[in-house]
C-alpha cells in the first residue's frame, strides 16, 4: 500500500529524536514484543498488522492488515516509577493531537487510555513498565472501512476513514504522533 509506514517512508518526515531507531515488520503478534529491553529511548517498532494486539485488562485490539497505525515506543523515564501510569494518558493525548492535526476531527479522551470520536473508540494506548523502561503501545484505526470495524467490543469502534470519508496517510500520522508524543514526554519529564 502506498501509505505503508516503513522506516524509509517515515524517517524523512520525523521532526525529533523519537523514531530514529525504527523497526518495521509486515506482521507480528504485538509491536510491544519487538522492542528489546536494551533498545534506546525513542526506539519505535511498527507493524502493518498485529495478530495478538492487546488493550487494557487483557482486551484484544483488532485491525485488518494495512489499515491502521500500530506501533510501540520505548521510553526510559528519569522519574519515580509511581508516575509511570501517567505516560499512558500522555500517549492518548498525543494520539488525539495527531488525529486533530491531520483531520478536522475533535477527538476526546476516556482516561486512561482511549481516544474517542463522539462515543466511538478510534485509538487506544497500552503502557507496560518494567526493567527501567515503559513501552507505550499505540493503535489508531486509520483507514478501516466501516464494515471492517469490530462489532463485538465494549466501546463501539470507529476509524478516521469512517469519520471523514477519506483515507489518512498513515506515514504522516506516525510522524505526527511521534512528534506530539516527544513534545509531551519532554514536558512531562520536567514537570
Amino acid at each position: 500500500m502506498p501509505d505503508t509506514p516503513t522506516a524509509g517512508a517515515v524517517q524523512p518526515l520525523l521532526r525529533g529524536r523519537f523514531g530514529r531507531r525504527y523497526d518495521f515488520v509486515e506482521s507480528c503478534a504485538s509491536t510491544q514484543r519487538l522492542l528489546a529491553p536494551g533498545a534506546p529511548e525513542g526506539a519505535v517498532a511498527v507493524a502493518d498488522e498485529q495478530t495478538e494486539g492487546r488493550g487494557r485488562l487483557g482486551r484484544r485490539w483488532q485491525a485488518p492488515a494495512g489499515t491502521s497505525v500500530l506501533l510501540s515506543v520505548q521510553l526510559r523515564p528519569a522519574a519515580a516509577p509511581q508516575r509511570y501510569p501517567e505516560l499512558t494518558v500522555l500517549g492518548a493525548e498525543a494520539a488525539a493531537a495527531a488525529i486533530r492535526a491531520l483531520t478536522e476531527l475533535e477527538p476526546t479522551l476516556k482516561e486512561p487510555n482511549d481516544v474517542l470520536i463522539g462515543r466511538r473508540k478510534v485509538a487506544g494506548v497500552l503502557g507496560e513498565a518494567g526493567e527501567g523502561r515503559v513501552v507505550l503501545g499505540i493503535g489508531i484505526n486509520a483507514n478501516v472501512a466501516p464494515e471492517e470495524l469490530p462489532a463485538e467490543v465494549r466501546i463501539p469502534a470507529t476509524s478516521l476513514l469512517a469519520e471523514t470519508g477519506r483515507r489518512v496517510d498513515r506515514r504522516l500520522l506516525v510522524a505526527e504522533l511521534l512528534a506530539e508524543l516527544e513534545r509531551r514526554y519532554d514536558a512531562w519529564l520536567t514537570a
Side-chain angles (χ1 to χ4, degrees):
M1 301 199 73
D3 74 334
T4 303
T6 63
V10 173
Q11 285 184 317
L13 304 173
L14 297 177
R15 303 189 300 266
R17 68 188 187 284
F18 281 17
R20 295 302 169 186
R21 163 88 181 270
Y22 191 106
D23 296 316
F24 173 83
V25 297
E26 286 187 21
S27 182
C28 69
S30 169
T31 57
Q32 291 196 320
R33 297 181 197 162
L34 297 179
L35 287 171
E41 181 164 81
V44 177
V46 181
D48 216 25
E49 175 186 38
Q50 285 186 135
T51 58
E52 297 174 22
R54 296 173 290 133
R56 279 183 74 238
L57 307 174
R59 296 184 181 106
R60 288 189 41 122
W61 181 272
Q62 301 168 290
T67 63
S68 299
V69 167
L70 305 165
L71 64 78
S72 291
V73 181
Q74 174 108 299
L75 303 175
R76 297 187 169 284
Q82 56 266 35
R83 288 191 65 207
Y84 289 179
E86 297 169 15
L87 292 170
T88 297
V89 176
L90 190 135
E93 290 171 348
I99 291 167
R100 195 174 296 113
L102 294 179
T103 70
E104 296 177 9
L105 300 171
E106 283 298 325
T108 59
L109 300 186
K110 180 182 174 294
E111 289 191 14
N113 70 321
D114 293 336
V115 180
L116 308 179
I117 297 174
R119 295 187 175 166
R120 297 166 104 38
K121 184 172 178 176
V122 71
V125 179
L126 178 64
E128 293 185 326
E131 303 174 34
R133 69 184 185 141
V134 175
V135 177
L136 284 185
I138 303 173
I140 302 174
N141 290 334
N143 299 319
V144 183
E147 64 274 9
E148 292 183 300
L149 289 164
E152 302 299 318
V153 289
R154 187 176 56 89
I155 299 173
T158 191
S159 70
L160 302 179
L161 173 63
E163 296 295 326
T164 65
R166 58 185 165 77
R167 295 180 61 82
V168 174
D169 189 321
R170 292 182 299 146
R171 299 166 299 187
L172 297 176
L173 188 54
V174 169
E176 191 66 32
L177 172 62
L178 294 176
E180 290 288 350
L181 180 60
E182 184 176 328
R183 185 173 65 77
R184 284 170 168 71
Y185 177 68
D186 289 346
W188 179 84
L189 285 173
T190 60

